[in-house]
Amino acid sequence: MILIVILALPLVASILCWTPKPGRRIASRLTLVTNLAILALAVRATLQVIAKGRVIAIPGWLELDALGALILLLVAAVGVTASLYSLGYMKRTTHDLSILHHYYGNFNLFIFSMLAVPVLVGPSVAWLAVELTTLLSVLLVGFESNRDALEAAWKYAMLTLTGAAIALFGFLLLFWAMHVAGGSTYTWSGLEAVAPHMPPAVVKMAYLTILVGFGTKVGLVPLHTWLPDAHSQAPTPVCALLSGIETSAILYVILRLMPIARASLGDAVDRWALVFGLISVGVAAFLLIQVHDTKRLFAYSTVEHMGIILTAAGLGGHAAAYGAMVQIFSHAFTKSFCFFAAGAVLMALGTREIAAVRGLIRSSPAAGAALLTGSLAIAGAPPFAVFLGEFAILKAGIAGGHYVATGLLAIFLAVAFFGILLHVNRMVFGNPPENLPAPPGMPWSCALALLLAAAPVVIFGLYVPDTLHTLLSRAAGLIGG
Amino acid sequence: MNPTSFLPQLNALAGGLFLLCTFGMVATRQVQGCMRFFIWQSIFLASSAFLLGVHPVVWDLLAVAAINLINKPVLIPWLLRKTVPEEVYTRREIDQALNIPISLLIALGLVIAAYVITAPLLRIPAGPSVGVNLPIGLAALLLGAYTLTVRREAVPQLLGLLAMENGAFFTSIAIAPELHLFVELVVAFDVLIAVFVIGVLTRALQEHIGTTNVGSLAALKEESAP
């Protein structure tokens, strides 16, 4: 029941945003309230999952386990900070305020599609939810309707929908494989039950097409080309959603598939994940060095982090899988915080150009401090949460005897660390340009969103509560660790 | 005459024509011509679903045939005309990335690749239609992706995408006829959302930039920044 309410809330809110009166006027506040309610329900559902192992709304269709709960919780949490941030940010940056209700209507639909991915247990409907995450966010990416935003939206739509069509072929093959093996319920658990009897040739092709197809949407190199465009051109709160949680929500589907494919194909599944993952981390780490745009910097960092998570999943074993879960968790909070900070810089100085920003800590201290904190946190400096995840993964890699992969990963992480801080150091410190007009203050909602988003980044780096540990550990168990 | 003897042959014919239409989409320069080939492709997809579901009767497949027949040849063109400005529609593409003979050669290569890739899968015991629908479906998927890559106009790119989905479903009617009908219905709806969203985006491109030649959009690159 609770799952149905969670899915229904954003849909209702979205419809209300488009009703003439008073829907349009209260659209922004309505979106915030809706997302707060979703977060409260998501926390409740997660606690139920921890207590009972599984929450079932409609058997075989809507169910929630620990792995799903993790994603659901993160979507809801980033949804709250992003809708809070939107309040002040969208008013400041939108030219035509009379079209803002379109933004909020679409925003809620986008949240709906992302909430649907982890609660739908049928692979075919999960595919559909993933396709919807693209379709319902394309217009948000192009919301600013200038040349760059529309170009980014077009590339985003075409590349990720092509990926989705390829993945669809994979999911249909998977259904066939299940049918040949004698299974009849097309759900994740139904697949897992008959996985050892599925014909390997079919599973192999299904797994590879889904890895490539959804890999496009996750931003795995070399299918990542659309990602820095879309993740930099969208309005900042949407960037936070796209980068912070949408990518992980899609990667979640690939992670779900790994134990099923492993039962039929063995270690090859992990090898492919390792290769894809490491290439993504490596290429993104070096591309980070040559960016000129703050938001693109964080977008490439998303490619890097998706690679890290996939690499961790490919290392195998519980410790690495646990590291992957910590990474999904901390990346969602940290990356959304980073984008909020980049948006604060954009609001203060009106530019995303890295070269145009100097001495931020003096000209706009709040934005400067946020950018510095966010960058240190996402680059993996202790004592932030991302550090814990990366450390756990490296440790698991060495313990598992994957010396080459772990060594490469460590090198790439170091390169990315210096890449990010090289840029941010220049932006934050030094002397601000002469005769700079006094930057406008930050809207209160953006400041509050920054604080709220920063809290988990700092807290979970120092202290992991037992409930959270249980959730992450169980989720790790579900991807085969 | 026993229907089990000629139905598979008719299905093979539908498959051949389905593939031919996909080739047409690669080769034609007019936006409207591309549209017409897509409509025919969808009709052959529906025919194949009908032929596989008529004897013995599989209601789900007959429903799939009906859904496809209403959705693609009727609703999608109607929705596109509603959302995309008329002038985009009558456009001719002059600057395709590759010329047509080379395109067709590459397309031929992709079809052969589809047969080679699916060869190991066809060793699995399955109905006679799988041997037709699996490679042809994959071929259409690849050709659709190829169309998407070489076309520069917005609408043909969208049609390439839809051809890819048609390819996936051409395969599915043979290998996954038991797939839940609910899923088929929702996917049909999803395709409509896709057409609507891309249509709205195409209109925005036309209104704000004055072109729907999406192949020429290349402002977003690292090098372009100072």
Side-chain angles (χ1 to χ4, degrees), chain B residues 88-108:
Chain B
V88 176
Y89 238 97
T90 49
R91 225 160 254 180
R92 245 176 88 92
E93 246 176 291
I94 311 299
D95 57 340
Q96 206 164 325
L98 285 170
N99 70 27
I100 285 172
I102 293 182
S103 264
L104 284 176
L105 266 180
I106 294 175
L108 198 67

Side-chain angles (χ1 to χ4, degrees), chain A residues 128 147 151 154 179 296, chain B residues 157 178 186 190 209 219 222:
Chain A
L128 203 73
R147 197 184 176 94
E151 178 187 338
W154 185 268
H179 205 74
R296 288 180 84 91
Chain B
Q157 284 202 2
E178 309 86 352
V186 186
D190 159 85
I209 311 181
E222 299 311 333

Side-chain angles (χ1 to χ4, degrees), chain A residues 414-440:
Chain A
V415 171
F417 185 92
F418 287 110
I420 293 173
L421 289 178
L422 184 78
H423 292 297
V424 172
N425 183 33
R426 272 191 230 147
M427 294 172 74
V428 173
F429 300 109
N431 289 319
E434 305 263 314
N435 46 35
L436 190 75

Side-chain angles (χ1 to χ4, degrees), chain A residues 221-222 274-285 311 412:
Chain A
V221 175
L274 265 184
V275 169
F276 253 96
L278 279 174
I279 290 176
S280 297
V281 184
V283 173
T311 306
F412 295 151

